[in-house]
């Protein structure tokens, strides 16, 4: 039985997808397709439903075309793949006319699962990656209500796909449709189409690429491309949706995860070590303050409490693994900034003599 599980877990045979060195393997334990076996609420299910999500014959409906509904679908198995590609077959449709529908759906790769909340049906201040298919322009409607106009260079056309990486410190800004924290985005006319719509999220060598096939041409079209994205392994895949005063049917037809095998040079192996917290190169995320710290107006974390060997070890590990995430400390004596290296050295000698 164990051998059978391993065979199923390895998926189909390798398929060449790159220029000579990239192959993909379907990972069944992280994939979902009709007839949706293994979906439910039991401990033996590979996929769990939450909220108003329902399994239908031809799709899994996250939310119906009704007000104030939310639903989600989460993989129960954490993903430890280094490089991967997630293909999402989805459909958004309903009775609402132009700009009278909402709110959209999200695809997640996060540390926590099955946590309902306001961000397309998932928790705010999540840790990981969120990709949003947003169908309602909240910011534009607020601007219209205030009789203000967008500048031509910043107006976005909805539905709109965007991506966000979070270390747990950021809130998704609903009023601005996630604009302050988005890594990139593109217009995606996906509602009420009579052909299949697809989205692909590819993560290879810390390079995040999002493409879509929404024109019925069976061709991928670029949407978002961001280098230097650092995502930990062991997070969960999921998808969620929410409706408010406006609504839509949000359906998932299939989720297919592929392991991508790529060659790395010795230098790349050193650079691509595992990370502890999600981050993006050249993008400063707010600091994560440990328990007992106080946040100053400049978002600096101050640690005034007595530091024990246990808390020092945890802090040192967080500093080492967090990659570009920065930590700052101020001397309680003179208020001068202390670098992490100086801080760790001082604490090391302090612990030796206490």
């Amino acid at each position: 039985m164990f051998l059978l599980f391993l065979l199923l877990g390895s998926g189909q045979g390798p398929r060449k997808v790159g220029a000579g060195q990239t192959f993909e393997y379907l990972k069944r334990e992280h994939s979902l397709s009709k007839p949706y076996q293994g979906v439910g609420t039991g401990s033996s299910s590979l996929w769990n439903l939450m909220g108003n999500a329902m399994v239908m014959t031809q799709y899994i409906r996250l939310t119906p075309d009704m007000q104030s509904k939310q639903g989600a679908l989460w993989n129960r198995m954490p993903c430890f793949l280094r490089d991967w590609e997630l293909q999402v077959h989805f459909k958004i449709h309903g009775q609402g006319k132009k700009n009278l529908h909402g709110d959209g759906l999200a695809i997640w790769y996060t540390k926590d699962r099955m946590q309902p909340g306001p961000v397309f049906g998932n928790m705010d201040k999540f840790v990981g990656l969120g990709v949003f298919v947003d169908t309602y322009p909240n910011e534009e409607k607020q601007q219209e209500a205030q009789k203000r106009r967008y500048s031509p260079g910043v107006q976005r056309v909805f539905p709109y796909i965007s991506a966000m990486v979070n270390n747990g410190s950021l809130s998704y800004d609903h009023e601005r449709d996630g604009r302050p924290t988005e890594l990139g985005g593109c217009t995606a006319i996906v509602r009420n189409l009579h052909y299949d719509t697809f989205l692909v999220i590819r993560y290879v060598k810390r390079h995040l690429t999002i493409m879509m096939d929404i024109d019925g041409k069976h061709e991928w079209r670029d949407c978002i491309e961001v280098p230097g994205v650092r995502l930990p392994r062991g997070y969960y895949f999921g998808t969620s949706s929410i409706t408010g005063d406006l609504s839509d049917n949000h359906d998932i037809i299939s989720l297919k995860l592929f392991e991508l095998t790529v060659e790395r040079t010795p230098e790349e192996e050193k650079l691509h070590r595992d990370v502890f917290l999600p981050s993006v190169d050249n993008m400063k995320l707010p600091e994560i303050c440990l328990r007992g710290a106080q946040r100053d107006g400049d978002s600096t974390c101050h640690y005034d409490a007595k530091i024990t060997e246990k808390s020092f070890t945890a802090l040192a590990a967080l500093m080492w693994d967090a990659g570009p995430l920065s930590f700052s400390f101020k001397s309680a004596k003179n208020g001068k900034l202390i670098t992490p290296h100086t801080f760790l050295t001082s604490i090391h000698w302090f612990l030796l003599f206490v």
Side-chain angles (χ1 to χ4, degrees):
M1 191 69 182
F2 180 69
L3 178 60
L4 177 60
F5 177 78
L6 289 178
L7 291 174
L8 290 176
S10 63
Q12 299 172 342
R15 187 166 62 127
K16 185 176 178 180
V17 296
Q21 75 276 20
T22 304
F23 291 83
E24 66 177 23
Y25 303 80
L26 177 66
K27 307 300 290 184
R28 296 186 184 276
E29 68 270 33
H30 301 298
S31 299
L32 176 72
S33 59
K34 293 181 284 188
Y36 306 121
Q37 297 178 351
V39 179
T41 57
S43 59
S44 61
S45 303
L46 288 176
W47 292 86
N48 296 140
L49 299 176
M50 185 176 67
N52 301 113
M54 298 182 297
V55 179
M56 313 298 282
T57 305
Q58 299 298 318
Y59 50 83
I60 293 179
R61 177 150 291 169
L62 299 177
T63 59
D65 191 359
M66 300 173 63
Q67 294 180 337
S68 303
K69 302 294 182 180
Q70 71 176 47
L73 172 70
W74 283 95
N75 193 198
R76 194 173 62 86
M77 305 290 289
C79 178
F80 292 95
L81 301 181
R82 196 176 190 182
D83 305 286
W84 48 264
E85 177 179 291
L86 179 65
Q87 296 180 9
V88 184
H89 184 186
F90 68 98
K91 187 175 182 65
I92 301 176
H93 58 105
Q95 299 298 317
K97 302 302 180 181
K98 182 179 180 181
N99 291 336
L100 293 176
H101 47 79
D103 284 324
L105 60 83
I107 300 100
W108 304 99
Y109 176 69
T110 56
K111 179 181 178 180
D112 302 295
R113 60 186 292 274
M114 303 290 284
Q115 299 293 324
V119 186
F120 295 90
N122 190 40
M123 64 183 291
D124 196 9
K125 294 189 175 181
F126 60 90
V127 179
L129 169 70
V131 177
F132 312 117
V133 184
D134 193 347
T135 58
Y136 184 75
N138 290 285
E139 185 177 18
E140 178 182 340
K141 292 304 177 184
Q142 290 182 10
Q143 295 280 356
E144 290 179 357
Q146 298 171 7
K147 297 182 179 180
R148 296 167 56 189
R149 290 182 177 272
Y150 275 145
S151 299
V154 297
Q155 186 172 6
R156 296 181 292 182
V157 178
F158 281 71
Y160 187 83
I161 296 176
S162 64
M164 174 181 175
V165 169
N166 199 352
N167 64 2
S169 66
L170 299 174
S171 289
Y172 180 85
D173 190 340
H174 285 276
E175 294 184 354
R176 300 192 62 192
D177 302 307
R179 185 194 293 267
T181 54
E182 75 168 38
L183 297 177
C186 67
T187 296
I189 307 303
V190 295
R191 288 191 72 251
N192 291 338
L193 300 179
H194 300 294
Y195 44 81
D196 293 332
T197 49
F198 299 88
L199 183 71
V200 64
I201 305 169
R202 181 178 297 161
Y203 182 66
V204 179
K205 292 185 176 182
R206 293 190 173 169
H207 201 105
L208 178 68
T209 305
I210 298 174
M211 298 180 291
M212 54 188 178
D213 176 7
I214 60 173
D215 301 317
K217 299 179 180 179
H218 303 290
E219 296 177 354
W220 292 118
R221 181 152 55 92
D222 292 338
C223 178
I224 302 171
E225 188 168 354
V226 186
V229 176
R230 301 165 184 261
L231 298 176
R233 292 196 270 185
Y235 283 10
Y236 296 91
F237 287 105
T239 179
S240 65
S241 178
I242 194 170
T243 66
D245 294 334
L246 302 175
S247 62
D248 254 338
N249 296 305
H250 299 93
D251 301 336
I252 297 294
I253 292 97
S254 69
L255 296 166
K256 295 182 179 180
L257 185 76
F258 295 89
E259 178 182 12
L260 303 181
T261 59
V262 297
E263 294 181 356
R264 280 180 168 83
T265 65
E267 290 75 17
E268 288 175 329
E269 290 289 349
K270 294 179 180 178
L271 290 173
H272 297 172
R273 61 181 176 85
D274 287 346
V275 296
F276 180 75
L277 283 174
S279 63
V280 182
D281 291 352
N282 302 319
M283 177 181 176
K284 181 176 176 59
L285 297 177
E287 296 178 10
I288 301 295
C289 293
L290 300 181
R291 183 176 299 176
Q294 296 180 350
R295 188 181 294 276
D296 200 353
D298 60 356
S299 297
T300 300
C301 300
H302 302 294
Y303 298 88
D304 299 324
K306 180 180 179 181
I307 298 179
T308 64
E309 183 175 3
K310 181 178 180 181
S311 62
F312 166 72
T313 303
L315 182 60
L318 187 59
M319 284 182 172
W320 178 260
D321 290 334
L325 189 66
S326 63
F327 290 79
S328 302
F329 305 87
K330 283 186 179 179
S331 170
K333 182 177 180 180
N334 55 26
K336 292 184 178 180
L337 193 67
I338 300 175
T339 66
H341 174 75
T342 303
F343 173 79
L344 291 177
T345 302
S346 301
I347 294 299
H348 170 74
W349 287 108
F350 169 77
L351 291 174
L352 289 178
F353 294 99
V354 295

